[in-house]
Amino acid sequence: MDPIIILHAGIASGTVLLFATLGAIFNERAGVMNLGVEGMMLIGAMSAFSVTVSTGNGWLGLVVAMGAGAALALLHGVVTIHFQADQVVSGLALTFLGTGLSLVLGEGLSKAGTINLLPSVMLDPALLTIPVVGQILAIFFHDQSVMVYVGYVMLPLAWYYINHTRPGLHLRAVGESPTAADAMGIPVYGLRYAYVVLGGALAGLAGGTISLAISPGWFSELTTSGQGWIAVGLVIFAQWDPWRAAFGSYAFGALRRLILDIQAPKLLFGFDNPFFYNPYYGFFLAMLPYAFTIVVLVLGSQQAMRRRLGAPAALGVPYVRGERGR
Amino acid sequence: MTTTASQTSSPIKLIIEPRLTTPRWLSPVVSIGAIIVALILGGGVIAFVGGDPLATYAHIARAAFGDLGVFSDTLVIATPLILVGLACSLAFRMKLWNIGAEGQFYMGALGASAVILAGWVPEGTPRPVALGVMLIAGVVAGALWGLIPGLLKAKLKVSEIITTLMMNYIAIQLVNYFVFGVWSESGFQMSPQFPKMAWLPRLGDYAREIPALRGLTTHFGLIFALIAVAIVWFILYRSRWGYEIRLIGDNPRAAEYAGIDIVKNTVLVMMTSGALAGLAGMSEIAGVVHRLQGAISSGYGFTGIIIAWLAKLNPIVVILVSVLFGGLILAGREIQPAGVPRLIQGIILFMLIASDVLLRYRVRIARA
């Protein structure tokens, strides 16, 4: 159980959660909750793999994945922004729709062929022998997929954009007080559409990252195995802040890897490894990410209550121009 | 939504305006219209992947409602759907988003199986007693699985959407542990079969007295489901508790001012909702599967969400919708690609919530 290997793998699989969580942060900051992340990730994973198998171009696959996620999200946008439908139910419908659509369109895709993975970045081995710095490089940079690097670039950009730019201010205004934003001349409907679509594109990117880089291939629903829902939970834990989202995503990624490691025979507790000698206990390990999501939610909401940090004030509330706002 | 939208270039104006009153007939008409549009869209996807939509739909109708035998099988699937549809309707009426009916279903099945497989009900117990103990165990297990997110929501304001959903995954792994690790029958992914005392009676069991019933699989769980419908209907529309639930759902602030205990109601409704889903699991395990195994549900808990919504949270309409969806799922088992039933369910739900706008707004075409 080498901590460097676990953290290295955690960063890689956490990148998927990071994309999905950042996307959800954007649309929730604009006041629209989208519970359809799981469905959008699945359609992204399916379309990315499908396009890459048939064209051999992974980058094209990623673009199509983002488009597919964005298209589904646009449906959610029309239904919740213009038709003022309940965002919870619409998000659930989107998950059904995305799952069903990707199962139907992805029929037989698991045996359709092999792909070249998106490239990974290899560092000079000499760099890795430097004490401390070498270990940090080994965890974060060496032999990581280019998508991991995309995550590193996206993270500070997202934070800066939301908190320190004028469009970011408009984004927050639309989510906190659409009435006031509208009065200031900010296009509430247009921005909400834009960020819902952006959230969908990032969820699609997350799906594509799974099927093209992190655990390549198409395994129907098992491709995402509930990670979209974990992302929805992470948004609350992150209190709508990109840095906390990154921490949560990478920690969850490491947890997934740790679970695999715990079952290995070489692990020494000082007594017989129960997870090795009774593999059925592995089912309890498989519960851990989901149980941890609940724990993380409880902690997040406790802290939010104490510090009076909350969701964007207008989250989940459709904006109707001319009706009394809040 | 803008109140008037006009096409500037054309002399005909499209006017969208809020309705002051919604006629009673409009809601079912819009729902049926939404389903028809959904079926057309679903057919488009089927055609796109190279299927024949008309043949597929005709096949679904024949395979689900074609004769008494298949209709009986449809009712077998409708039974758990009615119960989880009720579970969702009750919780949704209070705007509690219990997405965990799937997990509560599994826990109900686990609880009901446990009392038999662990030998707590001795062999040779009269059937009504054995089934009664299983029913209580299933209901309690489901209710406990609803209690946890209920408490977290009521006391700590933790979103029940995520917690109930996460507990689905946990419940499924827990059932897997017991199926593989504790009660596995010689290494297979299933427990030994229950003794006959733990089987809910089927219509086919009475074929000796009434030959027409031969081979019919509809089981006593359907009676449980219908009784549950009556109880939930009574709770929601004829009891003080139901009034509180509906008031909290419509206007939590007003409910709070009226002195209604929201914390208590949140916990109680989540437990009752879980209990109903747990009963569905018990009925499935004792009426159909007769053993504990993985994959007992095929997503019934999630279908319950759509059923509740399609039925507008009305317990009596839940029966009708469940029978229709039971047919869709039954027939869908033979349809390729395998995702078709789920796809159609998703499109139906989407069309349904989108069509709600027609109940609130009116579209008029007028000359400018």
Side-chain angles (χ1 to χ4, degrees):
Chain A
M1 195 162 70
D2 183 352
I4 290 183
I5 294 177
I6 289 175
L7 290 174
H8 177 270
I11 297 285
S13 71
T15 299
V16 172
L17 285 172
L18 179 66
F19 290 146
T21 310
L22 282 181
I25 286 177
F26 274 111
N27 54 249
E28 293 203 6
R29 280 284 185 137
V32 183
M33 184 166 39
N34 189 348
L35 297 181
V37 179
E38 178 83 1
M40 299 187 295
M41 276 175 73
L42 267 177
I43 203 96
M46 186 277 298
S47 49
F49 189 70
S50 173
V51 167
T52 308
V53 165
S54 49
T55 65
N57 187 339
W59 303 111
L60 186 65
L62 276 185
V63 170
V64 173
M66 293 178 75
L72 269 193
L74 184 63
L75 274 181
H76 180 70
V78 172
V79 170
T80 58
I81 299 170
H82 254 104
F83 294 174
Q84 302 147 30
D86 192 290
Q87 294 178 4
V88 173
V89 187
S90 173
L92 288 172
L94 202 64
T95 296
F96 285 114
L97 189 64
T99 311
L101 208 55
S102 41
L103 292 187
V104 169
L105 299 177
E107 176 84 3
L109 191 60
S110 50
K111 299 186 281 283
T114 53
I115 55 162
N116 292 321
L117 302 190
L118 293 177
S120 289
V121 177
M122 294 293 174
L123 298 181
D124 186 342
L127 286 172
L128 302 178
T129 56
I130 311 171
V132 187
V133 174
Q135 287 169 341
I136 291 173
L137 289 176
I139 292 172
F140 290 97
F141 298 102
H142 177 63
D143 194 17
Q144 289 288 21
S145 165
V146 64
M147 295 313 290
V148 171
Y149 284 78
V150 173
Y152 295 155
V153 175
M154 192 185 290
L155 181 56
L157 285 181
W159 168 79
Y160 186 81
Y161 179 86
I162 293 174
N163 293 300
H164 295 285
T165 66
R166 182 155 285 272
L169 179 69
H170 291 174
L171 160 66
R172 285 178 288 143
V174 166
E176 296 289 348
S177 175
T179 319
D182 200 8
M184 282 168 60
I186 300 173
V188 175
Y189 292 122
L191 283 187
R192 284 195 166 179
Y193 269 110
Y195 288 112
V196 166
V197 168
L198 176 65
L202 287 177
L205 180 69
T209 305
I210 298 180
S211 65
L212 298 186
I214 306 298
S215 45
W218 171 246
F219 312 97
S220 46
E221 289 156 291
L222 295 177
T223 315
T224 53
S225 59
Q227 289 190 72
W229 290 105
I230 291 179
V232 173
L234 277 177
V235 177
I236 301 174
F237 163 76
Q239 293 164 5
W240 296 269
D241 172 66
W243 291 107
R244 288 186 59 123
F247 172 74
S249 302
Y250 293 141
F252 262 89
L255 177 70
R256 283 166 66 93
R257 175 56 203 243
L258 186 64
I259 288 168
L260 293 179
D261 259 39
I262 287 177
Q263 300 178 66
K266 63 179 176 185
L267 182 75
L268 296 175
F269 283 114
F271 50 87
D272 285 350
N273 178 358
F275 296 107
F276 180 68
Y277 288 102
N278 185 345
Y280 299 122
Y281 290 157
F283 290 117
F284 291 99
L285 290 177
M287 294 174 194
L288 280 182
Y290 310 111
F292 258 74
T293 309
I294 296 179
V295 172
V296 148
L297 265 186
V298 171
L299 296 178
S301 59
Q302 286 301 89
Q303 197 181 18
M305 275 206 286
R306 213 170 39 240
R307 289 165 49 188
R308 295 180 179 281
L309 276 174
L315 182 60
V317 186
Y319 176 60
V320 187
R321 196 175 222 177
E323 271 184 17
R324 254 184 75 196
R326 47 181 76 194
Chain B
M1 175 75 51
T2 45
T3 39
T4 53
S6 59
Q7 292 167 302
T8 41
S9 59
S10 115
I12 293 190
K13 263 178 106 178
L14 203 62
I15 302 177
I16 300 172
E17 56 194 13
R19 285 178 191 277
L20 300 177
T21 57
T22 308
R24 278 181 69 90
W25 55 265
L26 189 66
S27 171
V29 167
V30 166
S31 295
I32 291 167
I35 294 175
I36 292 172
V37 173
L39 290 180
I40 294 171
L41 289 177
V45 177
I46 295 172
F48 178 74
V49 295
D52 178 349
L54 279 182
T56 305
Y57 287 142
H59 175 80
I60 289 178
R62 243 192 339 269
F65 305 104
D67 63 61
L68 195 60
V70 292
F71 184 61
S72 158
D73 291 344
T74 295
L75 288 182
V76 171
I77 301 179
T79 301
L81 290 181
I82 294 173
L83 286 164
V84 292
L86 284 179
C88 295
S89 299
L90 184 69
F92 291 0
R93 197 63 196 80
M94 209 179 116
K95 294 243 163 71
L96 268 181
W97 303 111
N98 178 15
I99 317 300
E102 182 83 356
Q104 292 144 11
F105 177 101
Y106 270 91
M107 290 311 285
L110 179 62
S113 310
V115 292
I116 298 297
L117 294 171
W120 293 331
V121 181
E123 192 99 23
T125 307
R127 193 190 249 194
V129 179
L131 288 170
V133 174
M134 287 173 79
L135 186 137
I136 292 169
V139 164
V140 168
L144 284 178
W145 219 241
L147 171 67
I148 300 169
L151 280 177
L152 290 176
K153 166 79 175 181
K155 301 278 187 194
L156 301 175
K157 304 256 181 295
V158 178
S159 162
E160 77 282 13
I161 301 171
I162 320 277
T163 50
T164 50
L165 203 112
M166 291 297 136
M167 290 186 67
N168 288 339
Y169 291 102
I170 296 175
I172 290 169
Q173 295 297 344
L174 196 61
V175 167
N176 276 339
Y177 169 71
F178 280 99
V179 167
F180 286 88
V182 181
W183 295 317
S184 165
E185 187 174 39
S186 50
F188 286 107
Q189 313 174 5
M190 50 174 75
S191 77
Q193 204 174 43
F194 298 156
K196 287 273 195 242
M197 64 175 182
W199 291 28
L200 283 169
R202 281 177 171 165
L203 279 182
D205 296 350
Y206 302 98
R208 211 176 322 151
E209 290 89 41
I210 310 166
L213 298 180
R214 183 179 309 277
L216 295 190
T217 49
T218 308
H219 58 83
F220 199 78
L222 185 61
I223 308 288
F224 292 161
L226 295 178
I227 294 172
V229 167
I231 294 174
V232 171
W233 180 84
F234 183 84
I235 290 176
L236 273 180
Y237 298 108
R238 288 291 180 273
S239 79
R240 187 194 153 79
W241 184 32
Y243 175 72
E244 294 187 359
I245 292 173
R246 285 183 289 140
L247 186 56
I248 297 172
D250 291 339
N251 191 340
R253 203 174 290 177
E256 207 165 358
Y257 287 141
I260 293 174
D261 188 341
I262 294 183
V263 168
K264 187 187 82 184
N265 273 305
T266 303
V267 175
L268 275 181
V269 166
M270 282 301 290
M271 283 185 75
T272 314
S273 183
L276 286 163
L279 177 59
M282 177 271 166
S283 138
E284 190 72 3
I285 214 87
V288 180
V289 198
H290 302 141
R291 55 167 36 120
L292 187 66
Q293 59 186 37
I296 32 179
S297 148
S298 71
Y300 291 149
F302 298 110
T303 307
I305 297 166
I306 306 177
I307 289 174
W309 211 254
L310 199 56
K312 307 264 178 208
L313 314 186
N314 180 329
I316 295 167
V317 184
V318 163
I319 303 175
L320 177 72
V321 180
S322 299
V323 172
L324 289 175
F325 270 65
L328 178 64
I329 293 174
L330 174 73
R333 283 182 182 163
E334 317 156 17
I335 291 178
Q336 291 298 325
V340 165
R342 193 129 30 135
L343 173 72
I344 294 177
Q345 289 179 26
I347 300 180
I348 288 179
L349 186 56
F350 232 109
M351 284 299 126
L352 210 62
I353 52 177
S355 69
D356 258 4
V357 74
L358 295 175
L359 300 180
R360 281 178 286 120
Y361 291 89
R362 177 161 62 174
V363 183
R364 271 196 312 143
I365 300 170
R367 286 190 186 281

